[in-house]
């Protein structure tokens, strides 16, 4: 008999970063505009919205776009078997306001940009005075529990937004 216990493989749990949009706000607004061009203020099944974006319903590109649009407050819906989406009032205020100078549109854009929780937290802490990429990456990994592989993508998306 051996005094050593058999080794048991332990499956490590992958560290998931806090939620953040996979696409920046400008790209999300383009998706909302293309949806509006075809559907106006009507709801449509997710599969139709995905076609408007040149993707399929189950593609990662369409699922990430839907999640981002929802995160920015630009669409509602998607739950349930029907999986229909519709532009929100916030989205319509952004895409239909074509005035060159529009404080209303600027306010709607700011509201959408700060809808994701991570965006709001960083804006509250830093406003437009972000630290260096290295310092921010360190904070995201150690204070916010980001997966280190996601930091660069988040920084790019946040700064673009």
């Amino acid at each position: 008999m051996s005094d050593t216990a058999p080794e048991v493989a332990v499956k490590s749990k992958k560290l998931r970063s806090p939620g953040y949009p996979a696409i920046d706000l400008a790209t999300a607004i383009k998706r909302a505009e293309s949806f509006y061009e075809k559907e106006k203020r009507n709801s449509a099944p997710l599969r139709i919205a995905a076609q408007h974006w040149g993707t399929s319903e189950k593609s990662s590109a369409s699922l990430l776009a839907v999640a981002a649009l929802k995160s920015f407050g630009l669409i509602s819906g998607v739950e349930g078997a029907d999986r229909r989406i519709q532009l929100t009032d916030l989205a319509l205020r952004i895409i239909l306001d074509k005035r060159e100078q529009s404080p209303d549109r600027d306010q709607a854009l700011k509201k959408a940009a700060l809808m994701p929780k991570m965006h709001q937290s960083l804006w509250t802490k830093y406003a437009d005075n972000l630290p260096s990429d290295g310092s921010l990456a360190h904070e995201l990994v150690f204070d916010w529990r980001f997966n280190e592989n996601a930091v660069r993508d988040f920084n790019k998306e946040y700064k673009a937004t």
Side-chain angles (χ1 to χ4, degrees):
M1 235 197 238
S2 172
D3 289 340
T4 60
E7 281 190 33
V8 178
V10 177
K11 189 175 181 180
S12 64
K13 188 175 179 182
K14 184 177 176 183
L15 176 65
R16 289 185 49 109
S17 299
Y20 65 92
I23 58 176
D24 61 66
L25 181 57
T27 305
I29 290 170
K30 287 178 186 170
R31 299 281 192 281
E33 288 172 334
S34 65
F35 184 88
Y36 180 80
E37 287 172 10
K38 304 285 187 183
E39 304 298 338
K40 303 297 182 221
R41 296 171 186 254
N42 301 306
S43 68
L46 175 57
R47 66 181 172 75
I48 301 297
Q51 290 172 7
H52 298 330
W53 303 329
T55 62
S56 69
E57 176 182 13
K58 295 186 180 184
S59 73
S60 61
S62 68
L63 296 175
L64 291 171
V66 165
L69 268 75
K70 199 168 186 183
S71 178
F72 286 122
L74 301 176
I75 61 169
S76 60
V78 182
E79 283 83 23
D82 193 21
R83 298 186 72 169
R84 297 181 73 84
I85 65 171
Q86 186 169 18
L87 296 175
T88 62
D89 183 60
L90 180 63
L92 295 171
R93 289 182 181 279
I94 293 169
I95 64 178
L96 297 179
D97 189 340
K98 302 298 183 188
R99 297 176 288 177
E100 284 186 36
Q101 300 291 322
S102 174
D104 296 333
R105 185 174 195 274
D106 293 345
Q107 188 63 30
L109 285 167
K110 183 175 182 179
K111 182 176 181 179
L114 295 177
M115 292 280 291
K117 188 176 182 179
M118 275 306 304
H119 287 201
Q120 187 177 46
S121 296
L122 285 178
W123 184 260
T124 299
K125 185 171 183 177
Y126 295 112
D128 57 358
N129 297 310
L130 281 175
S132 70
D133 287 349
S135 293
L136 183 58
H138 180 84
E139 180 177 341
L140 291 171
V141 169
F142 291 101
D143 297 344
W144 294 96
R145 310 265 310 136
F146 264 74
N147 180 315
E148 53 275 7
N149 297 322
V151 168
R152 195 173 82 196
D153 289 339
F154 172 75
N155 279 346
K156 183 179 173 186
E157 179 276 322
Y158 180 78
K159 288 177 180 181
T161 295

